[in-house]
Amino acid sequence: MNKPKLAVWSRLLWMFLKVNILSPSGPASIGLLYKEAVSKGLMTETQFVEAVGFSNVLPGSEALKLAMFVGFAAGGLPGVLTALLGAILPPTVMMLIVATILQRFQHSDWIGGFVAGMSPAVAALIAVVAWELFRATSSKKIDRRTILIAALSAAAFWFELPSPLVLLGAGLLGVLLYGRRSY
Amino acid sequence: MDNLLNLFLIFLKVNLLSTSGPASVGLLYHEMVGKYVTEGQFVQAVGFSSVLPGSDALQLAMYLGYAVGGVPGGLIALLASILPPTVIILGVTVILHRLRREAWLSSFIEGLTPAISVLMLFTAWKIFEKGGSDGWEAWAIGLVSMAGMLSKRVPERILIVIAGVIGILFLS
């Protein structure tokens, strides 16, 4: 990168601000980010695919990790911090404003109706995302092992075992069932 | 002070155990509803974080944090949510090439994913059940919005806002 560093950083910051204001959710930002980062030559196609892969595997919010990978490819460590800043600023500002306003209305009558109407839609949203997540289990088809893990964890949640433990157990079961296969 | 520390630990734990924003909903529900926030506050948090632009997961964290401890609570939740991925990314970029050959990590995630999906289904059902209305209206809203979301023709946030407005008109 021959340009002065400051120009690169401000371009990065602007790009991440834009992507995060325009996209409604983490996964939705991948498409936008791809257009911005690859077509403008901040990183190669292969780098981007690799970044998406790693973001899916490592713990934490995937959109955030993807942003940091792109930042790193474009501007090293300062690039990571710039990406982080650009990615958390828009949601933070918006959420604090909305939360403050809503807090005022917490005891109004209409908020009860609003929540009652929103609940089924929110439940539907969570169910739909759960289905998409299940279907997309790492690029492979759903096989018997996936169903076994799903059934076992359903039983565990039914008996109200602590959910972090169930998730850890499912992960360990994955290591046993899928083994150290190369990919 | 104790509350803020607990908040920090919860979000740290949830972000270490989930690989994406939406997946954290199930875990957060179990960790927080009844103890720190009410069912209604949680539904508001999920609803608004889907409606507003920007990362859902961060908004969800901040809204819940705010409900528990005001602005400091929101900032603590934000910090605990961005810390694990940031530290990991900074570490990974250094050992990137070694980690790629660690097949066990991808197997771990492969086992984790179905469990997270199941947890989310349980959460969806609980939210629906305790949503304040379980008559045919709620079923209608839920099924119609699910059909809309699956068809991908209508943006999810529009559906959620419409559902809320229907609630104000008919369910208050």
Side-chain angles (χ1 to χ4, degrees):
Chain A
M1 212 141 292
N2 305 325
K3 283 175 210 139
K5 282 191 169 149
L6 208 61
V8 176
W9 294 340
S10 62
R11 230 175 81 196
L12 268 179
L13 184 63
W14 174 236
M15 180 179 101
F16 283 109
L17 281 177
K18 195 163 69 179
V19 167
N20 274 280
I21 290 172
L22 288 180
S23 64
S25 70
S29 70
I30 295 178
L32 261 176
L33 202 54
Y34 177 85
K35 257 184 247 160
E36 293 282 331
V38 177
S39 64
K40 290 189 182 155
L42 286 175
M43 67 199 298
T44 65
E45 168 105 28
T46 325
Q47 276 177 318
F48 190 83
V49 171
E50 202 174 273
V52 173
F54 273 112
S55 311
N56 278 319
V57 168
L58 300 169
S61 160
E62 61 185 320
L64 211 54
K65 281 173 291 180
L66 187 58
M68 284 189 275
F69 270 122
V70 175
F72 186 82
L77 223 51
V80 173
L81 298 179
T82 314
L84 194 60
L85 189 67
I88 62 179
L89 216 51
T92 310
V93 171
M94 248 174 305
M95 204 63 207
L96 286 180
I97 292 174
V98 170
T100 316
I101 294 174
L102 270 178
Q103 214 64 17
R104 297 260 152 80
F105 295 111
Q106 210 54 258
H107 301 290
S108 316
D109 288 341
W110 63 267
I111 202 94
F114 192 63
V115 170
M118 210 158 66
S119 293
V122 164
L125 174 68
I126 296 175
V128 168
V129 174
W131 169 243
E132 276 164 5
L133 197 67
F134 184 71
R135 221 180 28 177
T137 305
S138 330
S139 74
K140 301 285 186 306
K141 274 182 258 163
I142 296 172
D143 62 11
R144 255 177 290 172
R145 290 174 291 192
T146 320
I147 293 176
L148 175 70
I149 294 175
L152 283 179
S153 32
F157 290 131
W158 185 261
F159 289 111
E160 297 185 345
L161 296 181
S163 35
L165 283 186
V166 178
L167 293 189
L168 272 180
L172 292 177
L173 199 58
V175 176
L176 286 178
L177 289 177
Y178 294 99
R180 298 171 54 96
R181 108 193 129 199
S182 51
Y183 61 103
Chain B
M1 202 55 216
D2 262 6
N3 249 359
L4 289 185
L5 184 64
N6 285 340
L7 206 60
F8 185 77
L9 293 177
I10 287 177
F11 280 100
L12 213 53
K13 182 162 71 178
V14 167
N15 275 279
L16 280 172
L17 272 176
S18 55
T19 53
S20 71
S24 67
V25 171
L27 262 178
L28 272 177
Y29 182 93
H30 276 253
E31 296 284 332
M32 298 198 69
V33 171
K35 287 177 242 168
Y36 297 96
V37 296
T38 64
E39 188 82 26
Q41 282 175 314
F42 194 83
V43 170
Q44 281 177 36
V46 178
F48 281 105
S49 53
S50 322
V51 169
L52 295 174
S55 159
D56 289 6
L58 293 184
Q59 285 167 341
L60 180 62
M62 278 184 280
Y63 193 95
L64 291 173
Y66 183 88
V68 176
V71 173
L75 295 179
I76 291 278
L78 177 66
L79 183 67
S81 305
I82 63 178
L83 212 52
T86 309
V87 170
I88 287 167
I89 294 290
L90 292 181
V92 163
T93 44
V94 179
I95 53 158
L96 192 76
H97 297 280
R98 205 177 307 165
L99 195 73
R100 190 179 308 156
R101 282 185 221 108
E102 292 297 333
W104 68 266
L105 187 61
S106 94
S107 297
F108 187 85
I109 298 299
E110 207 143 327
L112 193 61
T113 310
I116 287 181
S117 312
V118 171
L119 178 61
M120 289 174 74
L121 283 181
F122 272 75
T123 309
W125 177 250
K126 272 195 194 140
I127 286 180
F128 179 78
E129 217 182 9
K130 296 183 191 160
S133 147
D134 51 1
W136 64 271
E137 298 97 337
W139 278 102
I141 294 175
L143 291 176
V144 169
S145 32
M146 189 182 275
M149 285 164 192
L150 286 173
S151 80
K152 310 252 177 223
R153 295 229 179 89
V154 199
E156 286 148 1
R157 47 172 138 176
I158 306 286
L159 290 168
I160 287 176
V161 170
I162 294 176
V165 172
I166 291 178
I168 296 179
L169 295 178
F170 299 104
L171 298 173
S172 337

